[in-house]
Amino acid sequence: MNVAKSGYRVFSANSSVASTELAKKITERLGVELGKSVVYQESNRETRVDVKESVRGQTIFIIQTIPRDVNTAIMELLVMAYALKTSCAKNIIGVIPYFPYSKQCKMRKRGSIVCKLLASMLAKAGLTHIITMDLHQKEIQGFFSFPVDNLRASPFLLQYIQEEIPDYRNAIIVAKSPSAAKRAQSYAERLRLGLAVMHGEAQCSESDMADGRQSPPCVRNATGHTGLELPSGKQQAPFPGIELPIMMAKEKPPITVVGDVGGRIAIIVDDIIDDVEDFVAAAEILKERGAYKIYIMATHGLLSADAPRLIEESAIDEVVVTNTVPHEVQKLQCPKIKTVDVSMILAEAIRRIHNGESMAYLFRNITVDD
């Protein structure tokens, strides 16, 4: 394809070579060349972007994968978008397969909703549209003032299960926490398999984290709330006639697996696998309950810290993730990690958006819970 006549350009905002692999695969499928630009950090770690060709009046797609250095990648994307905006690009569309800070999408005590801050920064930098994949919470789309296409990786992971897992008909889909049950149910229904849900003290869901609505903290006494404790240690008298109910502390029950996994292949599904301690603990419980093989299926394989070593030493037989996040180093450290390529759907999304075609085809047979 003649890039000059295509009406759009595809750029990569990553400064590291490993992070540009997905961008190269996408441009190969589109039949276009990767836009000419230089992204680098100066000696004082400031990010600098130089666009080496004219983008005036054109639609620009910026592919940005998120490596371990998340904040640098975000800054690269922001500077690239602003550089293209000031170079008179017509539309600037961010292709961000894994959207960073997506776990910080709810208020935690006196913290902040960082995901919304990032959405505002991207809009201010000049982005007019975003293509992403499997947002941690689908409500994140409401943080943006421009369109967001939240693609799904489930068709690729389901295909992997059917083609690469021997005797998958003897498998059972497992949710490692109740919060992941809807996603697991969606997989189980389409594969015509059973469903199991893990619950108990090994589970650590976001819903159990304090969100600030219990502030100021309750007074610790057994007779009810007679006042609020001040920094000095004194009690502030409540309003006349008001006695607040006692807040019961949460206590998780012993670990429980709801569903029979004995003699089955257990397939745990989730959207992100980062710190793997919970997955390793879940695998040990499933082994004790009689599962003879354990697979982990996730869209985004962040695999931080000692994740490769922990996976290699665990009862997990295989971890399957997509290439939304670069993890070639982790694969060298742990042969149990397998990769599914999703560049096909990202390339097709770019083509359809540029041609003004409907995106409905990419969401066929996709459920809300995927």
Side-chain angles (χ1 to χ4, degrees):
M1 180 185 294
N2 188 327
V3 181
K5 294 182 179 179
S6 65
Y8 71 96
R9 297 282 202 285
V10 179
F11 286 87
S12 173
N14 287 111
S15 58
S16 62
V17 177
S19 299
T20 60
E21 290 302 316
L22 180 59
K24 290 177 180 177
K25 289 184 178 181
I26 292 173
T27 51
E28 286 175 4
R29 291 183 179 277
L30 290 170
V32 301
E33 296 178 3
L34 201 59
K36 297 178 176 63
S37 64
V38 178
V39 182
Y40 62 97
Q41 276 73 47
E42 295 186 345
S43 56
N44 62 354
R45 303 301 296 168
E46 287 186 359
T47 298
R48 184 177 289 275
V49 173
D50 292 328
V51 180
K52 299 295 186 179
E53 56 185 296
S54 174
V55 296
R56 183 178 295 273
Q58 296 203 10
T59 297
I60 306 298
F61 293 87
I62 308 175
I63 301 174
Q64 180 70 327
T65 53
I66 307 298
R68 287 191 176 186
D69 193 352
V70 176
N71 295 328
T72 297
I74 291 172
M75 202 63 205
E76 290 171 348
L77 176 60
L78 293 171
V79 176
M80 170 72 83
Y82 191 67
L84 294 167
K85 177 183 177 181
T86 54
S87 297
C88 299
K90 182 181 179 182
N91 293 306
I92 305 171
I93 301 171
V95 183
I96 314 171
Y98 167 65
F99 194 80
Y101 286 97
S102 58
K103 285 190 174 183
Q104 297 190 48
C105 60
K106 297 179 181 179
M107 181 63 73
R108 302 297 181 208
K109 294 187 177 179
R110 293 168 185 84
S112 61
I113 305 176
V114 183
C115 193
K116 188 178 190 310
L117 171 64
L118 181 55
S120 301
M121 291 167 65
L122 292 173
K124 191 69 175 177
L127 265 66
T128 58
H129 195 144
I130 276 184
I131 302 170
T132 187
M133 181 169 282
D134 282 341
L135 286 170
H136 186 57
Q137 297 288 342
K138 296 171 183 63
E139 293 79 8
I140 290 174
Q141 296 173 80
F143 294 160
F144 294 87
S145 57
F146 49 75
V148 177
D149 286 308
N150 183 28
L151 304 177
R152 305 294 198 274
S154 57
F156 298 91
L157 296 176
L158 290 167
Q159 183 181 23
Y160 185 94
I161 292 173
Q162 293 172 317
E163 296 179 357
E164 302 296 332
I165 298 181
D167 195 22
Y168 82 93
R169 290 292 183 189
N170 190 38
I172 185 169
I173 305 299
V174 180
K176 73 176 180 67
S177 66
S179 61
K182 287 186 176 180
R183 181 185 300 270
Q185 181 182 2
S186 175
Y187 276 65
E189 289 175 351
R190 280 187 285 176
L191 291 169
R192 312 298 192 268
L193 298 176
L195 174 67
V197 180
M198 303 185 71
H199 174 63
E201 59 187 5
Q203 173 232 335
C204 182
S205 67
E206 292 184 29
S207 58
D208 292 330
M209 298 173 66
D211 59 5
R213 288 176 293 180
Q214 297 178 356
S215 177
C218 305
V219 179
R220 298 173 183 173
N221 59 44
T223 59
H225 291 265
T226 58
L228 300 177
E229 187 174 350
L230 299 177
S232 61
K234 297 181 179 179
Q235 293 281 327
Q236 177 182 346
F239 292 107
I242 293 180
E243 185 170 336
L244 300 178
I246 298 174
M247 299 296 294
M248 301 297 294
K250 284 187 177 182
E251 289 187 11
K252 291 183 180 180
I255 192 73
T256 305
V257 180
V258 182
D260 183 16
V261 299
R264 301 282 192 88
I265 300 171
I267 303 175
I268 304 175
V269 297
D270 214 332
D271 61 330
I272 299 173
I273 177 168
D274 189 2
D275 297 324
V276 299
E277 285 85 354
D278 287 349
F279 291 93
V280 170
E284 291 176 356
I285 295 295
L286 292 172
K287 279 286 187 183
E288 292 175 3
R289 298 294 193 277
Y292 69 91
K293 272 195 175 182
I294 298 169
Y295 290 80
I296 310 292
M297 313 290 293
T299 302
H300 309 296
L302 305 186
L303 303 171
S304 302
D306 292 332
R309 180 183 60 81
L310 294 174
I311 293 171
E312 186 65 25
E313 297 172 355
S314 72
I316 299 170
D317 292 280
E318 200 168 280
V319 174
V320 183
V321 293
T322 72
N323 57 344
T324 56
V325 177
H327 52 265
E328 293 304 316
V329 174
Q330 291 90 326
K331 287 180 69 175
L332 294 174
Q333 298 171 346
C334 178
K336 291 183 179 181
I337 301 171
K338 308 296 181 183
T339 306
V340 175
D341 182 21
V342 293
S343 62
M344 178 191 303
I345 192 171
L346 294 169
E348 181 63 14
I350 291 174
R351 189 192 67 80
R352 285 176 175 270
I353 289 173
H354 172 65
N355 293 333
E357 299 176 18
S358 171
M359 297 284 283
Y361 178 77
L362 303 181
F363 294 93
R364 67 194 189 286
N365 300 323
I366 296 293
T367 66
V368 176
D369 297 324
D370 278 4

